[in-house]
């Protein structure tokens, strides 16, 4: 019975994705008339229009550049901060943790106006950095807390043995803590990538020019710019989901381990 209910629940998640991909191979008329029927004669016209009319390839590149750079910066700065907070004892450590927990309660919408003003003053609006820096700052707290919780579980003896071999702090972080913490780094990276990749609100405000527009912002304009071409919309959604699935498939084995072992301790 457990497997039956789990399989039924899985179908509620898998079938909508199949429905979108299936309709992406139909023209708009067929989507409207028979949206649940199989595309027995696949038509690639929607994919051709997506790259020719919508220039979705450029939006793909923009999204991957900005989301990839965000993940890289969060892992570097978040990893270093997590290493310090988890392995060093210093005055004010509890205060820093309290501030980090407190920032999780602040909604992103509350910081839009000051962030936008800072980007205007630094001439970063409608540039890659105009979205990379806010996303990095917004995701750092989550990454630091999760990675710090995981690094606290690493045995102290391993750190002492590295010191005996003449390893300094930087080498210890890069050669010992980073390899051991791969599960939590993978977990943090997939969540940061997803949040950055799917953040439509920030994309519409900070990077609304066509040359730097990410793919989620492009999807928002399909209805108004191309009418009600539902086949084209299904194609654009299918193309948007592909990078997320690829990233998840490569590092999915690390996600559960990283989240369970990296649970935050009180």
């Amino acid at each position: 019975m457990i497997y039956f209910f789990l399989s039924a629940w899985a179908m509620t998640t898998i079938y909508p994705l199949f429905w979108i991909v299936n309709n992406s191979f139909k023209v708009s008329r067929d989507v409207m008339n028979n949206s649940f029927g199989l595309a027995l004669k696949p038509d690639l016209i929607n994919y051709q229009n997506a790259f020719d009319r919508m220039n979705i390839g450029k939006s793909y590149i923009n999204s991957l550049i900005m989301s990839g750079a965000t993940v890289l910066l969060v892992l570097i700065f978040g990893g270093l901060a997590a290493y310090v907070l988890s392995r060093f004892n210093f005055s004010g450590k509890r205060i820093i943790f309290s501030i980090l927990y407190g920032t999780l309660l602040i909604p992103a919408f509350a910081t839009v106006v000051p962030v936008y003003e800072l980007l205007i003053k630094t001439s970063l609006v409608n540039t890659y950095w105009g979205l990379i820096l806010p996303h990095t700052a917004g995701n750092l707290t989550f990454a630091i807390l999760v990675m710090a919780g995981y690094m606290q579980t690493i045995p102290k003896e391993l750190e002492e043995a590295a010191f005996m071999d003449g390893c300094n702090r930087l080498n210890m972080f890069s050669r010992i803590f980073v390899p051991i913490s791969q599960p939590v780094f993978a977990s943090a990276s997939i969540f940061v990538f997803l949040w950055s990749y799917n953040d439509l609100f920030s994309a519409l405000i900070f990077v609304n020019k066509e040359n730097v527009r990410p793919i989620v912002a492009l999807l928002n304009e399909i209805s108004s710019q191309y009418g009600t071409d539902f086949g084209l919309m299904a194609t654009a959604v299918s193309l948007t989901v592909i990078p997320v699935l690829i990233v998840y498939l490569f590092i999915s084995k690390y996600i559960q381990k990283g989240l369970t072992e990296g649970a935050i301790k009180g």
Side-chain angles (χ1 to χ4, degrees):
M1 291 298 294
I2 293 177
Y3 282 106
F4 172 78
F5 285 111
L6 288 177
S7 299
W9 176 81
M11 287 303 299
T12 64
T13 304
I14 297 172
Y15 183 76
L17 179 60
F18 168 78
W19 184 85
I20 286 291
V21 175
N22 182 60
N23 283 322
S24 69
F25 293 103
K26 303 177 184 178
V27 295
S28 182
R29 181 184 63 259
D30 293 336
V31 176
M32 292 294 295
N33 295 332
N34 188 19
S35 62
F36 293 98
L38 293 177
L40 300 178
K41 296 180 180 180
D43 194 335
L44 299 178
I45 187 63
N46 291 323
Y47 288 90
Q48 181 179 349
N49 290 334
F51 286 94
D52 294 341
R53 290 168 52 189
M54 295 171 52
N55 196 18
I56 201 171
K58 176 63 176 177
S59 297
Y60 246 136
I61 295 174
N62 292 338
S63 291
L64 294 178
I65 290 176
M66 289 185 281
S67 298
T70 299
V71 171
L72 181 62
L73 292 176
V74 167
L75 292 184
I76 293 174
F77 293 111
L80 289 171
Y83 173 64
V84 172
L85 291 173
S86 62
R87 311 306 293 192
F88 290 82
N89 292 319
F90 54 90
S91 59
K93 181 177 177 178
R94 287 185 175 272
I95 297 176
I96 293 176
F97 270 113
S98 299
I99 293 174
L100 291 175
Y101 287 127
T103 57
L104 293 177
L105 303 177
I106 302 175
F109 305 101
T111 61
V112 169
V113 174
V115 170
Y116 190 68
E117 290 183 356
L118 286 173
L119 295 177
I120 290 176
K121 291 179 180 179
T122 53
S123 301
L124 293 177
V125 177
N126 291 319
T127 65
Y128 288 143
W129 290 107
L131 198 60
I132 292 172
L133 293 179
H135 279 170
T136 301
N139 288 294
L140 264 178
T141 299
F142 164 80
I144 291 172
L145 293 175
V146 172
M147 289 190 284
Y150 187 94
M151 290 182 182
Q152 287 176 352
T153 64
I154 298 177
K156 189 72 174 179
E157 292 76 12
L158 188 62
E159 193 173 0
E160 294 173 352
F163 270 124
M164 294 295 293
D165 291 337
C167 191
N168 58 36
R169 286 291 183 181
L170 184 60
N171 288 333
M172 186 181 302
F173 171 75
S174 60
R175 297 183 179 181
I176 297 177
F177 279 81
V178 171
I180 293 177
S181 303
Q182 282 185 3
V184 76
F185 273 84
S187 299
S189 64
I190 185 65
F191 282 105
V192 171
F193 181 84
L194 287 175
W195 291 335
S196 174
Y197 188 81
N198 294 323
D199 188 2
L200 174 62
F201 180 76
S202 299
L204 293 177
I205 296 175
F206 301 143
V207 285
N208 54 17
K209 291 292 183 67
E210 185 176 354
N211 61 326
V212 292
R213 181 176 55 191
I215 196 167
V216 289
L218 180 65
L219 287 177
N220 187 61
E221 298 183 3
I222 291 178
S223 296
S224 59
Q225 190 172 0
Y226 299 104
T228 55
D229 192 339
F230 294 103
L232 184 61
M233 293 178 65
T235 301
V237 173
S238 300
L239 291 173
T240 303
V241 173
I242 288 175
V244 178
L245 293 178
I246 293 175
V247 172
Y248 182 81
L249 289 174
F250 273 107
I251 63 177
S252 60
K253 62 181 180 181
Y254 297 109
I255 294 178
Q256 183 177 1
K257 182 179 179 181
L259 290 179
T260 53
E261 297 187 19
I264 306 301
K265 297 181 178 180

